[in-house]
Amino acid sequence: VRRDGQVYVDDAAVTMAEFRASFRALAEQRGASGVYLRADERVPYGTVVQVLAVMRASGVGDVGLVAEPEELR
């Protein structure tokens, strides 16, 4: 999920409706390789939870969360 709230699947931008409609098939295709959620730190928490809820409702039991290392200042 990008800073502006835009949802991407791999490198393709999708609407939330498209994400809901297509995510189950994507998760089944990925199978054992799993699925991961990455969101910009400035994305509202509610948006991240909404995306995660779609992922979980699609039958995905294990969602990996991708965290970027904090830059040293």
Side-chain angles (χ1 to χ4, degrees):
V1 182
R2 297 192 108 183
R3 182 181 311 169
D4 62 2
Q6 177 66 57
V7 176
Y8 282 77
V9 174
D10 294 326
D11 293 326
V14 295
T15 66
M16 187 58 77
E18 291 168 332
F19 182 66
R20 280 189 192 100
S22 64
F23 186 75
R24 183 181 300 270
L26 174 69
E28 289 173 359
Q29 177 186 0
R30 295 281 166 95
S33 66
V35 294
Y36 298 88
L37 173 59
R38 177 184 312 174
D40 187 278
E41 66 183 14
R42 287 159 266 185
V43 173
Y45 181 72
T47 302
V48 175
V49 169
Q50 185 179 13
V51 170
L52 185 56
V54 170
M55 296 169 90
R56 297 297 305 254
S58 296
V60 175
D62 189 21
V63 176
L65 299 177
V66 178
E68 299 295 329
E70 217 175 297
E71 292 183 33
L72 297 176
R73 298 171 197 220

